[in-house]
Amino acid sequence: MFAPIGSTEATMTIYLDGRAIPARAGETIAACLLRAGVGHFRTTPVSGARRLPYCMIGHCFDCLIEIDGVGSRQACLSEVEDGMRLHTQDGPAAIAGMEFQ
Amino acid sequence: MSSAIELASAGCRVIVLDMQPLPGGQIFRSLEANMQARPRTDALLSALGPAYRAGLALIERFRAAPGIDFRPGTTVWDLRADGTVGWLRGNAAGYLRAPHVVLASGAMERPTPFPGWTLPGVMTAGAVQTLMKAGRLKPEGRIVLAGTGPLIFLLADQLRRLGVKPALIARTDRLGDKLAALKRVRPAGIPALAKGVGWLARLRLAGIPMRTGISGLQALGGEHLESVRLLAGGKNMDIPCDLLVVHDGIVPSTDLAHAAGLALEWKRDDASWRPRTARDGRARMAPCPSFTTGPCRIRITGDARRIGGADAAAAHGRHAARAILADLGRIARKQGGPDRTEAEVRRTLAARPFLDAAFPPGLAARLPDDATIVCRCEEITAGSLRVAIRNGAADMNLIRGLLRCGMGPCQGRSCATTLARLLAEAEPGRPMPPSPFRARPPLRPLPLGALAGMTGLDPALAQVESLDDKPEEIAGDDVHA
């Protein structure tokens, strides 16, 4: 859906569900994952529907994703960091050490 | 930025809290970084055009002004009329309080519920622009732009310069809107008008298909957008599509103003709320129990006050700063007619009456049908909201409690206006709800670790002593005055 304008200048690597994705310093996680062609960042807690970013400026909260073990973070507001570990969020955010039904 | 420069130049100490990593807001988003990355970003800068690069002068003045304490990457999650501001930066949170607060939180795109608007592959025009400016990305594949407003043309023209050709530009506005709007053109608005005509001419020349007066937009697909259906010229059109870009104009971001207990007003012709402010931006308190006493210390400026675009925002920011300087006794209050900054505000808003009439809300003009999702977070349909309203739920907060509409992570930013209009639909003549859902801090997610380690002006502020967990008015000095 999105292609880089010019060269990407990726000097970092982030990981989504274990998959390595090249990242450019200063870009948001959302931009990085969209360039990589990621099909959805999360599924909704209600129906399990897939979602991708909608507004990209922090209003819609559809870009929620798990960043370094913390769920429901806004990918459109968070910058990439080298070695960052992301997980597609299925339904509500998981809380470390807690199990829901 | 212009407010901060004006205040700092007069010797005030100014703290600027900005959610973005770099100054420039959404219009001049990532401009500094894109200029520094030249020549790699030449193609991008050339596509974004001179109006984007023009922001550099303002950013450079902002960076150079002594006395500005710029705090990027900072989220504001609480605001009170007494000038208290709750902030979050990384995993640190705290409170500040200032004798004057300028709220410049900008605008958001008008929420436009239509069938399929939650599908991956549907995005707003602003989102695509952000991906261009900050992500250095361009859309590819089969693209449809749908909706109305100058941003549709600007984006299409920027895409054209990048060699991206949308399959269709589907506009809800009609030629009749333009003709009716012509009588609102003022001389100072003519340059903006000429710009629009130029965009249109270039898009026509590039052979990009365009339809006006479209309606009944639907995004269709299983797990991702596959096609777009719409009604144009009385006929159904089905267009295979990878990316549907929607835009229906922008509306003020009212979340912070509303949470601070400031009065909002419903603008009927624009179907949106905006804060009630004086000409210099001074906000008014809503007539309801307040968590603070004393005069309101908040001024609202830019698109958060009234939609006007970048030039109008900068002009009003300066005007609001001059009013603060007059309050502080640093400059003489202008007697009689408008001062220089007020005249500038008027000049920069001159094109608005024409634009508002030429591009009325389109995608959101009609309320959605029963099957359409209104609340994106909790996936509440218009139909279930209508049932609750028919069964007697006549209040926004009650409906939130009953159905969870507006209770998800976005806190009603996407659904509040639609629900307010559904309430009005059920009982025509009833006044519009005076405000969106009741808002309580934190207005944005606050990590528990940040809350636990919160610093502030008063340690007691971090303690929850009762269910009314808002701090009471705090007697004593303004630490940050």
Side-chain angles (χ1 to χ4, degrees):
Chain A
M1 227 165 33
F2 288 92
I5 303 169
S7 66
T8 305
E9 303 294 325
T11 55
M12 297 179 172
T13 306
I14 64 173
Y15 299 87
L16 173 66
D17 302 326
R19 167 191 166 197
I21 296 172
R24 169 175 66 80
E27 72 180 345
T28 60
I29 292 169
C32 180
L33 297 186
L34 286 170
R35 185 181 60 238
V38 172
H40 69 291
F41 288 14
R42 67 168 180 125
T43 59
T44 61
V46 179
S47 73
R50 294 180 167 197
R51 292 285 170 93
L52 271 183
Y54 179 70
C55 82
M56 282 301 294
I57 59 168
H59 285 295
C60 77
F61 288 72
D62 264 330
C63 64
L64 297 180
I65 200 164
E66 185 183 306
I67 304 175
D68 289 332
V70 180
S72 288
R73 302 287 306 274
Q74 287 177 275
C76 77
L77 296 179
S78 313
E79 282 188 50
V80 293
E81 286 170 27
D82 200 20
M84 202 172 230
R85 292 190 178 272
L86 311 172
H87 284 279
T88 309
Q89 186 171 314
D90 287 318
I95 298 175
M98 289 186 75
E99 286 290 327
F100 296 104
Q101 68 281 16
Chain B
M1 282 195 288
S2 69
S3 255
I5 295 167
E6 194 82 14
L7 290 165
S9 306
C12 296
R13 191 186 150 207
V14 187
I15 298 173
V16 177
L17 308 176
D18 190 337
M19 198 149 79
Q20 303 303 332
L22 295 170
Q26 299 302 341
I27 303 274
F28 305 129
R29 179 94 185 251
S30 300
L31 175 56
E32 244 180 0
N34 287 330
M35 292 301 286
Q36 280 160 10
R38 292 181 73 182
R40 290 198 307 277
T41 48
D42 280 351
L44 171 68
L45 287 164
S46 148
L48 290 172
Y52 177 64
R53 279 196 302 276
L56 196 63
L58 183 63
I59 293 173
E60 281 172 351
R61 282 171 53 222
F62 177 79
R63 289 286 199 190
I68 295 180
D69 175 356
F70 178 54
R71 303 185 186 179
T74 306
T75 299
V76 172
W77 51 268
D78 192 5
L79 177 67
R80 317 267 166 90
D82 69 352
T84 305
V85 180
W87 57 268
L88 168 72
R89 190 179 189 182
N91 276 318
Y95 281 106
L96 290 167
R97 191 183 303 123
H100 296 277
V101 174
V102 177
L103 179 59
S105 50
M108 59 182 276
E109 282 174 88
R110 182 191 313 283
T112 56
F114 61 88
W117 72 310
T118 54
L119 270 180
V122 182
M123 264 186 196
T124 68
V128 174
Q129 275 215 316
T130 300
L131 285 165
M132 289 166 70
K133 292 172 185 173
R136 298 179 194 163
L137 299 179
K138 61 181 175 186
E140 59 178 3
R142 298 163 299 181
I143 302 159
V144 172
L145 307 185
T148 191
L151 187 59
I152 290 267
F153 298 124
L154 171 63
L155 177 64
D157 195 44
Q158 290 168 337
L159 294 180
R160 179 190 62 80
R161 287 186 223 185
L162 289 166
V164 178
K165 192 174 167 185
L168 177 68
I169 299 177
R171 290 162 51 191
T172 54
D173 53 282
R174 298 156 191 274
L175 183 63
D177 298 325
K178 310 293 160 302
L179 296 176
L182 276 176
K183 63 176 182 284
R184 302 199 188 197
V185 174
R186 297 177 196 165
I190 286 173
L193 189 61
K195 205 172 177 180
V197 172
W199 285 333
L200 209 55
R202 285 196 294 274
L203 294 172
R204 286 260 150 86
L205 214 59
I208 295 169
M210 191 181 298
R211 302 295 295 257
T212 55
I214 70 108
S215 61
L217 180 68
Q218 295 181 53
L220 306 173
E223 295 195 323
H224 193 280
L225 174 71
E226 288 160 21
S227 68
V228 168
R229 181 172 296 167
L230 51 84
L231 200 62
K235 285 191 188 137
N236 260 322
M237 285 177 81
D238 279 292
I239 308 135
C241 182
D242 305 303
L243 176 67
L244 169 62
V245 182
V246 293
H247 180 70
D248 201 27
I250 59 175
V251 296
S253 261
T254 54
D255 51 350
L256 284 165
H258 172 52
L262 308 181
L264 305 181
E265 62 190 359
W266 179 263
K267 259 191 95 206
R268 182 176 294 275
D269 53 347
D270 194 51
S272 63
W273 282 287
R274 72 175 184 193
R276 290 171 68 98
T277 55
R279 272 199 303 229
D280 68 1
R282 185 179 280 283
R284 293 185 206 170
M285 299 294 295
C288 63
S290 166
F291 293 103
T292 56
T293 57
C296 176
R297 294 174 166 187
I298 300 171
R299 278 187 172 79
I300 306 176
T301 192
D303 282 346
R305 173 177 175 263
R306 178 183 173 170
I307 299 304
D311 290 346
H316 191 270
R318 274 190 294 276
H319 182 55
R322 300 281 294 177
I324 291 173
L325 292 173
D327 278 0
L328 293 171
R330 296 192 186 224
I331 57 170
R333 205 175 285 278
K334 172 89 177 165
Q335 300 297 324
D339 75 352
R340 178 178 52 80
T341 56
E342 192 173 354
E344 190 63 11
V345 171
R346 285 190 193 166
R347 190 189 64 78
T348 50
L349 284 171
R352 288 317 299 186
F354 168 76
L355 291 174
D356 292 344
F359 302 105
L363 296 176
R366 290 179 57 183
L367 281 164
D369 61 21
D370 281 351
T372 302
I373 287 175
V374 170
C375 168
R376 297 175 63 93
C377 298
E378 297 289 335
E379 295 171 78
I380 315 282
T381 61
S384 51
L385 292 169
R386 286 189 175 109
V387 167
I389 294 167
R390 267 201 301 276
N391 290 337
D395 173 80
M396 305 230 356
N397 295 311
L398 175 60
I399 293 168
R400 176 167 66 174
L402 288 171
L403 293 178
R404 294 189 58 84
C405 181
M407 211 183 264
C410 97
Q411 291 288 291
R413 287 173 175 88
S414 303
C415 64
T417 50
T418 312
L419 176 55
R421 291 175 62 204
L422 286 169
L423 281 162
E425 172 195 63
E427 203 180 322
R430 185 170 170 263
M432 288 300 289
S435 60
F437 304 105
R438 183 180 300 277
R440 297 184 182 86
L443 299 169
R444 287 180 172 275
L446 188 60
L448 276 174
L451 187 65
M454 190 154 66
T455 59
L457 353 139
D458 183 338
L461 278 169
Q463 290 176 13
V464 178
E465 290 174 339
S466 71
L467 285 177
D468 292 325
D469 59 355
K470 286 213 181 190
E472 298 302 310
E473 182 203 8
I474 293 131
D477 299 330
D478 290 307
V479 178
H480 299 279

